[in-house]
Amino acid sequence: MALFWLSDEAWAAIEPHLLKNQPGARRVDDRRVISGILHVLKVGCRWCDCPAEYGPSTTVYNRFNRWSHRGFWLKLLDALVAAGAVTRSTAIDSTYVKAQRAAFGAKGGSAQAIGRSCGGWTTKVHALTDVIGRSYALMLTRGNVSDVKAAPALPEHAGRMRYLLGDKGYDADRLRRLTRDAGAGPVIPGRRNRKHAIRYDKNRYAGRNLIEKAFCRLKDFRRVATRYDKLAANFLSGVALATAVAFWL
């Protein structure tokens, strides 16, 4: 099995954002450990099966877990996005992720973002992508939460955008109003049951396929394509780190 190693260019982008002056013993090789974390996310193995080339598997898991609790992996993604963002004509969408048996058992119930949907027990990953299809804002909900109900929370993290592209699942007057209040134009077709047809830019709407491609690319990381983490915070951290590597490094 091929091992994953961060390239020199990727490491140069990550290293300035690492946590500094932390209490406790001096950390072992950060590049090696983070490469080990990414290997586990990529191949989908158990943490205890992380190859010895990355050091002790407990070190690899503990680093991921501790920094997840501190919100570091999400902050890293935000920092990389801030350094490389382009003008944002933004697409919004979600994807289902099947929750494997190992994902159950954590305290908090619905707070762990697992719910029964038509596909069984699932988590929904909601995302925004920029004008060239790079994911830059993420959120989890239970699999049975509708897209339009979750949507208003994401554009709050979008910053300035010119357009918001979404499919019919996002057709709601409230979301359209919030989008316009943010200075952007909604590019969202109307549902069939609307009394009055919704006009939208069909040429611009064709760019929505980029977010579909983004989800496909993210699901090349097997621990994103299937949820094994009990804690929603850890699963979201894994998605954030995979997003950083797939699109921003």
Side-chain angles (χ1 to χ4, degrees):
M1 180 184 297
L3 301 182
F4 179 95
W5 295 103
L6 286 164
S7 66
D8 291 341
E9 293 78 11
W11 182 244
I14 289 177
E15 197 275 336
H17 304 293
L18 296 184
L19 297 173
K20 309 292 184 183
N21 302 319
Q22 296 296 298
R26 182 177 178 274
R27 293 202 305 263
V28 297
D29 187 340
D30 287 325
R31 183 172 180 177
R32 185 188 72 198
V33 172
I34 295 175
S35 294
I37 292 170
L38 285 162
H39 176 85
V40 172
L41 295 177
K42 187 75 174 176
V43 305
C45 66
R46 299 178 300 173
W47 291 101
C48 63
D49 293 329
C50 183
E53 287 85 348
Y54 299 114
S57 60
T58 52
T59 299
V60 175
Y61 171 73
N62 287 338
R63 179 76 57 85
F64 172 76
N65 188 49
R66 284 199 302 268
W67 286 14
S68 174
H69 289 175
R70 297 174 184 177
F72 170 74
W73 304 115
L74 293 170
K75 293 175 184 175
L76 174 63
L77 175 60
D78 289 343
L80 294 173
V81 170
V86 298
T87 303
R88 290 169 175 166
S89 290
T90 299
I92 185 171
D93 208 348
S94 69
T95 187
Y96 288 100
V97 176
K98 186 81 170 180
Q100 202 262 358
R101 178 172 54 85
F104 294 87
K107 295 180 180 178
S110 60
Q112 301 306 335
I114 298 176
R116 185 182 287 278
S117 66
C118 57
W121 291 99
T122 56
T123 293
K124 260 189 182 180
V125 178
H126 303 261
L128 300 175
T129 59
D130 70 3
V131 71
I132 58 175
R134 299 180 298 183
S135 299
Y136 69 91
L138 303 167
M139 184 178 74
L140 301 183
T141 65
R142 303 185 308 277
N144 55 354
V145 173
S146 69
D147 288 344
V148 72
K149 183 177 181 180
L154 267 180
E156 293 179 3
H157 304 287
R160 297 182 62 185
M161 58 182 176
R162 296 177 61 190
Y163 302 96
L164 179 67
L165 283 61
D167 61 23
K168 292 181 181 180
Y170 295 94
D171 176 27
D173 292 337
R174 178 172 178 247
L175 180 59
R176 293 179 186 277
R177 184 173 60 254
L178 290 173
T179 302
R180 293 191 179 98
D181 289 346
V187 184
I188 303 170
R191 298 176 188 267
R192 290 183 179 180
N193 59 358
R194 274 193 175 267
K195 293 182 178 179
H196 303 287
I198 295 292
R199 298 178 63 183
Y200 66 100
D201 187 334
K202 293 183 179 180
N203 290 331
R204 193 173 298 281
Y205 181 75
R208 201 191 67 81
N209 74 90
L210 291 176
I211 195 167
E212 303 289 354
K213 294 178 180 178
F215 282 134
C216 289
R217 190 173 177 186
L218 273 180
K219 287 187 174 182
D220 286 340
F221 290 80
R222 294 185 179 180
R223 288 188 74 100
V224 173
T226 302
R227 176 173 171 177
Y228 298 95
D229 295 286
K230 285 183 171 64
L231 299 179
N234 280 8
F235 180 61
L236 183 58
S237 292
V239 177
L241 185 52
T243 298
V245 171
F247 299 104
W248 298 97
L249 294 178

